[in-house]
Amino acid sequence: MTAQPSSHYRRIQLLFPLALFSMLILGTVRVFLDNLKNNQLYLHWRGLSRRSFRVPINVSEDEIIKDGCNVFEGKWIWDNESHPLYREESCPFLVKQTTCLRNGRPDSFYQNWRWQPNSCNLPKFNALKFLEMLRDKRLMFVGDSIQRGMFESMVCLVQSAIPDGMKSLTRIPPRKIFAIEEFNATIEYYWAPFIVESISEHATNHTVLKRLVKLDSVAKHSKEWEEVDILIFESYVWWMHKPQINATYGSEDNIQEYNATTAYRLALETWANWIESSINPRTQKIFFATLSPTHLWSWEWKPGSDGNCFTETHPIEGSYWGTGSNLEIMGIVKEITGKLKANVRLLNITQLSEFRKDGHTSVFGERKGKLLTKEQRSDPKNYADCIHWCLPGVPDSWNEILYALLLQDYRVPQSSLSEAKTPVP
């Protein structure tokens, strides 16, 4: 006779399927939640869930620039541990004009100098944090080939933090566009050597001897700037080719020869009028980089010599101001930007770059799109380029300062900026 199961055993038999079912449900939920979490992280990295999973931008104590500290006053410190911030070979987006080591320069000392402000420290450049600041935004460098170098520097500073296949560089003259898919962001360069319109704006075939500038017209360019979130302007070297420049003002048929600095003032006033009428200060940040100095005559820092920047390997020590930096132009920039109601911040790169006689491409760059020949390199007095900069190099420090200033904007309480697209300094 078969024994009947006890009531306790029967309860176990009834509860077992329920417990097993519960475990299966919990396991399924766990797998679902794990997959959801992974998918969310994946979507966040892919930039498809930016609003829900935006990473906050925190400014640590080490990244705060003390009130009253002028980051443009300081000195160059030898630092071969943290600088350069990238290597030539690690950045495939550099052009031959800037790759001095690859072009045969025998020393790399120019890469190991770090700019140190007198009264504070610059925050360490954090590529991911900078990219987070750029999320859903456009940053554009506007100007001549000096600005192109600053653009390439910024691309190199951030590109290593972006996986292959998720970044791209597109050339659409007069623009270059570095796109970061994950952050729905772009870093761009716009060729406008005079800022205002001119006949010298072909991206590769520049008109030098017969330049003609429209001092009262910026509309052709400005339509490309209107929706840009962060704009960095620069214009200088092209104005200094000769003491006079052919230009029009008011009527395109009325061509006159203007003093270069007078023409510069009129052009900058045209630009300033556009800034006042077109920029939304709550959603756009505007910077103007002061002139990039030249080092054409070594007698200025080494009395009695008759060379230029060729063979220079160390910065100038002590106070120095070269004749290649026009004080009148500096005054015009400060005056006009100072009158603007819009907040245009000056990137005063001139003095700190004056010390860097060693940072130019010299004979290790290009001329008219081609590397110098052996014969040309043997004639540095006529062929050394003491205007453009090697990369890695001085423009990286300009971008370190730009990064530092942008980062300080996030010290503003977010509650007071609920209606703003980006924090306002």
Side-chain angles (χ1 to χ4, degrees):
M1 182 175 179
T2 304
Q4 296 295 320
S6 66
S7 60
H8 177 71
Y9 181 71
R10 285 197 301 270
R11 284 196 298 271
I12 292 176
Q13 283 184 316
L14 292 172
L15 290 174
F16 181 76
L18 180 62
L20 182 60
F21 178 74
S22 299
M23 292 175 64
L24 289 172
I25 290 295
L26 288 173
T28 302
V29 170
R30 177 64 180 272
V31 171
F32 173 78
L33 290 175
D34 286 344
N35 286 337
L36 179 62
K37 180 179 178 182
N38 291 335
N39 285 337
Q40 286 173 347
L41 291 174
Y42 173 74
L43 290 174
H44 170 63
W45 178 243
R46 289 285 295 170
L48 299 177
S49 57
R50 298 182 183 92
R51 292 185 179 180
S52 300
F53 304 98
R54 187 182 297 272
V55 177
I57 300 171
N58 297 315
V59 184
S60 67
E61 287 296 321
D62 292 339
E63 295 174 317
I64 293 175
I65 296 176
K66 298 177 182 178
D67 293 339
C69 174
N70 185 343
V71 295
F72 304 107
E73 293 180 353
K75 59 183 178 180
W76 291 96
I77 302 294
W78 174 259
D79 183 353
N80 61 353
E81 294 184 1
S82 69
H83 284 61
L85 297 175
Y86 58 89
R87 301 284 180 179
E88 269 188 19
E89 60 272 16
S90 71
C91 185
F93 303 105
L94 290 174
V95 299
K96 287 190 294 184
Q97 186 180 36
T98 62
T99 53
C100 298
L101 284 183
R102 191 182 305 164
N103 299 341
R105 179 163 174 162
D107 74 289
S108 62
F109 300 138
Y110 63 92
Q111 299 184 356
N112 301 121
W113 296 95
R114 172 174 57 83
W115 177 249
Q116 175 62 56
N118 289 331
S119 304
C120 61
N121 295 318
L122 290 175
K124 183 179 179 180
F125 189 91
N126 184 315
L128 286 175
K129 188 173 288 190
F130 182 74
L131 288 171
E132 195 59 50
M133 287 193 283
L134 281 190
R135 187 179 289 280
D136 301 323
K137 296 182 178 66
R138 296 171 63 195
L139 179 150
M140 182 183 286
F141 295 93
V142 179
D144 56 27
S145 53
I146 299 297
Q147 273 295 76
R148 186 179 63 217
M150 193 173 180
F151 158 79
E152 290 173 0
S153 162
M154 183 61 82
V155 169
C156 290
L157 286 170
V158 303
Q159 68 88 28
S160 63
I162 309 165
D164 292 338
M166 298 182 184
K167 54 192 172 185
S168 62
L169 180 66
T170 305
R171 296 170 176 84
I172 309 175
R175 294 169 60 198
K176 287 187 175 183
I177 305 166
F178 180 72
I180 308 110
E181 177 186 344
E182 302 81 3
F183 293 85
N184 189 36
T186 58
I187 299 172
E188 305 175 35
Y189 165 67
Y190 185 89
W191 168 258
F194 294 103
I195 294 184
V196 292
E197 296 172 28
S198 73
I199 64 170
S200 302
E201 292 168 1
H202 191 279
T204 55
N205 186 20
H206 309 324
T207 303
V208 177
L209 298 178
K210 297 181 180 180
R211 291 173 179 173
L212 177 64
V213 183
K214 300 178 181 179
L215 300 176
D216 61 339
S217 181
V218 75
K220 177 182 175 182
H221 300 323
S222 61
K223 64 183 180 181
E224 303 289 344
W225 309 336
E226 289 176 352
E227 301 299 324
V228 178
D229 300 279
I230 304 171
L231 283 160
I232 303 100
F233 293 93
E234 175 272 342
S235 181
Y236 172 65
V237 172
W238 280 54
W239 295 95
M240 298 294 107
H241 180 66
K242 290 182 177 180
Q244 288 80 35
I245 191 168
N246 291 324
T248 63
Y249 191 92
S251 171
E252 293 188 12
D253 297 325
N254 185 15
I255 301 175
Q256 297 184 31
E257 194 174 67
Y258 286 78
N259 177 276
T261 52
T262 300
Y264 188 93
R265 174 183 290 277
L266 292 171
L268 209 61
E269 287 174 347
T270 297
W271 167 83
N273 289 335
W274 177 82
I275 291 289
E276 292 284 58
S277 63
S278 305
I279 290 298
N280 184 343
R282 294 189 64 81
T283 62
Q284 293 173 282
K285 300 175 188 290
I286 312 299
F287 294 86
F288 197 102
T290 59
L291 61 90
S292 173
T294 63
H295 294 89
L296 303 174
W297 306 284
S298 63
W299 55 262
E300 294 190 310
W301 61 84
K302 189 187 300 181
S305 62
D306 187 31
N308 49 36
C309 66
F310 178 65
T311 71
E312 295 291 347
T313 58
H314 288 72
I316 297 169
E317 296 183 5
S319 60
Y320 174 78
W321 190 270
T323 57
S325 297
N326 190 301
L327 285 171
E328 189 174 358
I329 293 291
M330 290 287 288
I332 291 170
V333 170
K334 185 176 181 180
E335 175 192 341
I336 292 178
T337 56
K339 290 179 179 179
L340 290 170
K341 294 179 182 178
N343 182 21
V344 176
R345 287 180 277 185
L346 287 184
L347 285 175
N348 193 358
I349 63 171
T350 308
Q351 180 64 85
L352 65 92
S353 305
E354 280 279 15
F355 301 124
R356 294 302 307 276
K357 58 181 171 59
D358 60 307
H360 294 287
T361 56
S362 182
V363 297
F364 306 104
E366 289 183 316
R367 174 169 289 202
K368 296 181 179 181
K370 295 182 179 180
L371 294 175
L372 297 186
T373 64
K374 183 177 180 180
E375 291 73 20
Q376 289 172 328
R377 288 187 182 185
S378 65
D379 184 14
K381 192 167 184 178
N382 289 311
Y383 287 96
D385 180 350
C386 299
I387 297 174
H388 297 95
W389 304 92
C390 299
L391 289 176
V394 174
D396 300 325
S397 296
W398 304 346
N399 279 321
E400 285 184 274
I401 294 173
L402 174 63
Y403 167 77
L405 297 178
L406 288 170
L407 192 61
Q408 304 312 302
D409 295 352
Y410 289 85
R411 295 173 58 189
V412 179
Q414 298 298 305
S415 59
S416 65
L417 302 169
S418 57
E419 297 181 358
K421 182 179 180 182
T422 56
V424 179

